[in-house]
Amino acid sequence: MGIIGESPVSGRSITLASVPSQRRIDTFLRDSVYAWRQNEPDICDFAFGNPHEMPQAAYVEALSDALAPRNEQWFAYKTNEPEAQAAAAASLQRLLGLPFEPADIHLTTGGFTAIPLALKAVADPGDEVIFTLPPWFFYEPLLLEAGLVPVKIRCDAETFDVDLAALGAAITPRTRVVIVNTPNNPTGRIYPPSLLKDLADMLEGASRSNGRRVYLLSDEAYNRIVYDGARFHSPAEYYPYTLLAYTYGKTHLAPGQRIGYVALPPAMPDRGALREALAALQMALGWIYPNALMQYALPRLEQFSIDIGELQRKRDLLVDALTGMGYRLQSPEGSFYLFAHAPIADDEAFVDALAQRGVFVLPGVLFETPGYFRMSLTASEEMIQRSLPVFAEAIAGSGQAKEKAT
Ligand code: PMP
């Protein structure tokens, strides 16, 4: 029998469960119209970056091939498989033009583990970590779990860029890491090289005046999901003290099969100490290496991605249709998402009204940015077509609809 009045759960789990953004997400996933109706055939699901069409044959073949054992050790304990590290390093070199070393690829079960692993390698409890709003909604719980102190700054409302003045004002002697996410979830913004250069200068200056290095954590979950032939630039090209976090879950739209990594750029000083730190943490955090199967598949997974042209066509279809109706939004340059102004101030009421008609999007409050909503471009084209009359009707009642030309 439990001791009377004693909580069965730890203080840490109570803290995590009570983060407001987490409570909202949790309720949305478990106890909302979306939770009850998401598998009904006629809904239009723009809520999360999940697949709504059958997986690519190449993906299934890569995993099937990796399944056939080549030796007795095929399913033995694995750390970082050298072939996987080499393939990931070569791919990063092609993408960014930096000669990453295979030994600097630390394989993880997706970006979700790469991020806290990188943070814990450089930051101690009590250290401050800065990120921009609207954010990926899991930064805050990941930071709190690590005993780190979240410091939030708003992005530039016009451009969705990092607001460098706000960043400068937020840096303190306790700042240890700044998280940057480009292409951005949820805004779709790709940060331009000039911004990344200024950001690097600012972090170099702050490190000098603090007498302690400020690291940059570059969350590059979407670095292969870019539109209009845009060239993606990583903060690692400008600031050597950058830890790069990546997941294959977006590139193949298969986030249930977990693999990603933390990469240390070749110009990073003290890489030896960081390599050891990352290896020690991966064991102590519960052997957070990807499954053997995913590691064997990685060299083949590096050879293709989902159809970016198709995503871009869906983006164009949605952006043209919604702006034609009077919705205010910026066309996303990359990532899976479109972040638009809600036509009424109460984004939750707007999202509920869409949900009543079977169209599911996320309210801005989940991103600490009321007055907006987020849609995922991973919905099928058929869902997009079916949703358009619902969006037209939703804006019609708000007074923001565009007058039809006569
Ligand atoms: N960072 C960002 C910005 C994301 O959007 C996501 C996934 N939604 C992740 C990290 C984590 O990716 P994964 O679930 O594939 O580990």
Side-chain angles (χ1 to χ4, degrees):
M1 205 174 84
I3 294 172
I4 293 165
E6 190 201 39
S7 167
V9 300
S10 63
R12 169 191 301 237
S13 53
I14 292 172
T15 305
L16 292 176
S18 58
V19 176
S21 57
Q22 279 327 100
R23 291 185 74 93
R24 282 204 164 98
I25 286 282
D26 194 49
T27 309
F28 192 84
L29 287 172
R30 289 193 302 127
D31 187 20
S32 67
V33 188
Y34 176 73
W36 307 320
R37 295 193 52 195
Q38 63 168 305
N39 293 319
E40 290 177 14
D42 56 345
I43 69 146
C44 304
D45 188 351
F46 298 99
F48 295 100
N50 265 324
H52 293 284
E53 276 140 326
M54 286 300 280
Q56 284 179 297
Y59 192 80
V60 179
E61 280 158 24
L63 265 60
S64 308
D65 179 56
L67 187 59
R70 319 289 202 259
N71 57 49
E72 299 83 347
Q73 297 293 305
W74 202 245
F75 298 123
Y77 278 108
K78 299 293 166 190
T79 57
N80 297 293
E81 282 297 285
E83 292 79 8
Q85 287 177 300
S91 168
L92 271 181
Q93 168 147 19
R94 283 194 300 278
L95 186 72
L96 305 177
L98 301 176
F100 280 83
E101 286 187 36
D104 286 319
I105 305 292
H106 299 262
L107 293 158
T108 62
T109 51
F112 244 113
T113 31
I115 291 165
L117 175 66
L119 288 167
K120 288 179 181 185
V122 295
D124 278 311
D127 281 343
E128 293 172 4
V129 178
I130 303 177
F131 62 89
T132 55
L133 305 183
W136 178 46
F137 29 62
F138 292 110
Y139 290 140
E140 182 160 14
L142 292 175
L143 290 173
L144 292 175
E145 195 283 328
L148 301 167
V149 181
V151 176
K152 305 169 189 180
I153 56 169
R154 252 193 204 279
C155 74
D156 184 298
E158 293 298 313
T159 60
F160 290 147
D161 279 339
V162 179
D163 180 339
L164 289 181
L167 177 62
I171 291 175
T172 76
R174 292 236 51 136
T175 305
R176 184 60 159 165
V177 184
V178 175
I179 303 178
V180 166
N181 171 219
T182 174
N184 189 268
N185 171 9
T187 67
R189 177 70 167 156
I190 299 178
Y191 298 147
S194 57
L195 171 69
L196 299 177
K197 171 103 189 42
D198 291 346
L199 177 66
D201 290 345
M202 178 174 274
L203 298 188
E204 186 58 41
S207 304
R208 278 170 206 264
S209 57
N210 280 353
R212 185 172 185 238
R213 179 55 53 184
V214 178
Y215 284 90
L216 202 153
L217 172 55
S218 180
D219 178 359
E220 301 189 10
Y222 301 93
N223 66 14
R224 268 79 168 179
I225 316 286
V226 302
Y227 306 125
D228 307 315
R231 159 101 160 78
F232 166 76
H233 288 277
S234 168
E237 294 168 46
Y238 303 89
Y239 191 60
Y241 296 88
T242 296
L243 299 121
L244 189 162
Y246 178 68
T247 170
Y248 289 80
K250 313 295 173 189
T251 311
H252 302 102
L253 193 44
Q257 292 294 336
R258 318 277 311 146
I259 188 160
Y261 55 75
V262 175
L264 304 177
M268 164 89 83
D270 303 326
R271 267 181 303 153
L274 273 173
R275 281 179 190 171
E276 281 179 28
L278 289 164
L281 281 164
Q282 282 196 278
M283 185 177 61
L285 290 171
W287 205 266
I288 55 165
Y289 295 99
N291 283 330
L293 183 62
M294 292 308 292
Q295 298 209 37
Y296 299 139
L298 188 148
R300 281 183 70 166
L301 296 181
E302 278 292 357
Q303 291 166 19
F304 64 95
S305 77
I306 49 167
D307 185 345
I308 305 294
E310 190 194 322
L311 266 183
Q312 187 174 315
R313 280 191 294 281
K314 290 195 283 184
R315 177 203 65 169
D316 292 343
L317 176 62
L318 262 176
V319 168
D320 290 350
L322 293 180
T323 46
M325 293 172 199
Y327 285 89
R328 284 185 298 134
L329 56 95
Q330 283 184 40
S331 183
E333 298 167 310
S335 87
F336 286 162
Y337 308 104
L338 193 156
F339 200 58
H341 287 272
I344 53 174
D346 185 345
D347 51 292
E348 285 184 294
F350 170 71
V351 166
D352 285 348
L354 292 180
Q356 296 304 329
R357 303 281 314 270
V359 174
F360 293 97
V361 305
L362 295 185
V365 288
L366 287 182
F367 305 86
E368 300 176 58
T369 308
Y372 286 79
F373 68 99
R374 188 193 81 167
M375 299 179 70
S376 175
L377 303 172
T378 59
S380 66
E381 184 171 341
E382 189 255 324
M383 285 179 181
I384 295 175
Q385 296 290 7
R386 261 191 295 126
S387 73
L388 295 180
V390 179
F391 280 105
E393 203 172 292
I395 199 168
S398 72
Q400 289 203 25
K402 264 196 190 150
E403 294 297 322
K404 280 235 161 46
T406 46

